[in-house]
């Protein structure tokens, strides 16, 4: 039986050109295709009331938290600075509840870009609201001007980390579309990759492989860079029904 992989949806705030409706839910097609290519069955999960998180966890075997808007800083005890981008409080509240329920159910999670940040916040960590303003070591352009599927900078992968076992390399060339990043790492997570300017690029569980999260977008790269599909194959493998 193929495992069911849930992908949380983003929200289109403006009215769609196709349907005149605000707040339409959508998920990145690259992630859907990657799950299919990895042997899983993708479903898209729109935000609902956080209280429904435990029930929803019963409907899937593994979870992907993809990219999206900035994380609302009130969830980690800060007020928004002028440089923060668009946030969506309801999605944050739902995903935090869903992440906690998925961890409690001991089901695997894969975070992408915003995903690494909201996972860290859900577990008690913080993020930089804006790297250029708040991170004194910042010196690489992390919001690339190149098309999203193109790599733009390298990341150094920790030897003997779970991420290293997935990519089978100590240095990877990745894409980069973010201006926020993990700041204080949550208890229960450990850093598994960093850029040359020390921005955290990947984290994983300290005790098991239930959580893997990266700051880049492998769902945009895997067709030209097949090693990036390994993240999705790994998630599908970890999500096999027991």
């Amino acid at each position: 039986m193929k495992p069911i992989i849930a992908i949380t949806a983003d929200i289109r705030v403006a009215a769609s050109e196709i349907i005149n409706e605000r707040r339409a839910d959508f998920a990145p097609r690259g992630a859907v295709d990657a799950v299919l290519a990895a042997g899983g069955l993708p479903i898209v999960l729109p935000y609902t009331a956080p209280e429904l998180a435990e029930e929803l966890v019963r409907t899937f075997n593994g979870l992907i938290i993809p990219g999206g808007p900035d994380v609302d800083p009130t969830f980690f005890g800060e007020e928004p600075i002028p440089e923060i981008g668009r946030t969506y409080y309801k999605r944050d509240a739902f995903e935090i509840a869903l992440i906690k329920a998925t961890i409690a159910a001991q089901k695997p999670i894969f975070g992408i870009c915003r995903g690494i940040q909201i996972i860290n916040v859900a577990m008690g960590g913080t993020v930089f609201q804006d790297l250029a303003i708040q991170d004194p070591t910042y010196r690489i352009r992390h919001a690339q001007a190149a098309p999203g599927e193109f790599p733009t900078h390298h990341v150094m992968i920790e030897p003997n980390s779970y991420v290293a076992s997935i990519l089978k390399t100590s240095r990877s060339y990745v894409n980069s579309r973010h201006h926020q990043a993990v700041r204080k790492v949550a208890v229960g997570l450990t850093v598994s990759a960093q850029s040359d300017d020390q921005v955290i690029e990947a984290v994983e569980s300290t005790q098991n492989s239930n959580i893997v999260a990266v700051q880049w977008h492998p769902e945009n790269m895997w067709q030209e860079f097949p090693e990036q599909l390994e993240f999705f194959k790994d998630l599908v493998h970890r999500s096999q029904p027991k």
Side-chain angles (χ1 to χ4, degrees):
M1 180 182 296
K2 293 183 178 181
I4 296 172
I5 307 298
I7 305 170
T8 55
D10 200 354
I11 305 295
R12 184 183 174 98
V13 178
S16 168
E17 296 174 359
I18 299 173
I19 55 172
N20 187 21
E21 180 182 351
R22 295 180 181 274
R23 297 195 303 164
D25 301 291
F26 68 94
R29 186 71 217 185
V32 171
D33 289 342
V35 169
L36 288 168
L41 293 175
I43 61 171
V44 178
L45 200 62
Y47 84 81
T48 61
E51 303 82 61
L52 297 177
E54 289 187 15
E55 290 185 60
L56 287 168
V57 167
R58 301 189 195 113
T59 68
F60 58 79
N61 305 109
L63 175 64
I64 294 176
I65 308 289
D70 287 355
V71 176
D72 188 318
T74 61
F75 283 105
F76 51 91
E78 297 181 9
E79 292 297 317
I81 64 174
E83 292 78 13
I84 197 170
R86 178 176 68 85
T87 60
Y88 200 83
Y89 180 91
K90 290 184 177 181
R91 178 180 174 183
D92 291 341
F94 170 67
E95 287 189 342
I96 287 171
L98 188 66
I99 290 162
K100 290 179 177 179
T102 305
I103 292 171
Q106 298 185 331
K107 293 184 178 182
I109 305 174
F110 178 42
I112 298 171
C113 194
R114 164 198 160 83
I116 189 177
Q117 298 160 17
I118 198 71
I119 289 168
N120 187 58
V121 170
M123 296 178 67
T126 68
V127 304
F128 290 107
Q129 294 188 46
D130 182 77
L131 284 168
I133 297 297
Q134 295 181 316
D135 184 358
T137 67
Y138 177 84
R139 59 182 176 83
I140 289 175
R141 182 170 182 171
H142 288 267
Q144 70 186 59
E149 67 271 23
F150 294 170
T152 188
H153 71 72
H154 290 86
V155 296
M156 300 173 292
I157 300 170
E158 291 293 326
N160 303 316
S161 65
Y162 191 75
V163 169
S165 73
I166 293 172
L167 289 180
K168 296 179 173 53
T169 185
S170 61
R171 191 167 172 84
S172 186
Y173 196 27
V174 303
N175 56 6
S176 189
R177 302 200 308 275
H178 65 104
H179 78 112
Q180 296 193 316
V182 170
R183 191 173 193 174
K184 175 188 173 184
V185 180
V187 174
L189 297 175
T190 187
V191 176
S192 44
Q194 291 179 280
S195 57
D196 287 349
D197 59 354
Q198 300 179 334
V199 169
I200 293 171
E201 294 282 345
V203 298
E204 59 191 60
S205 307
T206 54
Q207 299 298 323
N208 52 46
S209 59
N210 275 358
I211 299 172
V212 175
V214 299
Q215 186 58 72
W216 64 93
H217 288 267
E219 81 279 11
N220 295 145
M221 298 182 66
W222 65 270
Q223 291 187 342
E224 290 190 57
F225 300 88
E227 69 276 9
Q228 297 294 327
L229 185 62
E230 295 302 316
F231 284 110
F232 299 93
K233 290 181 179 179
D234 172 75
L235 177 65
V236 168
H237 175 73
R238 290 188 285 129
S239 301
Q240 290 293 340
K242 296 180 176 63

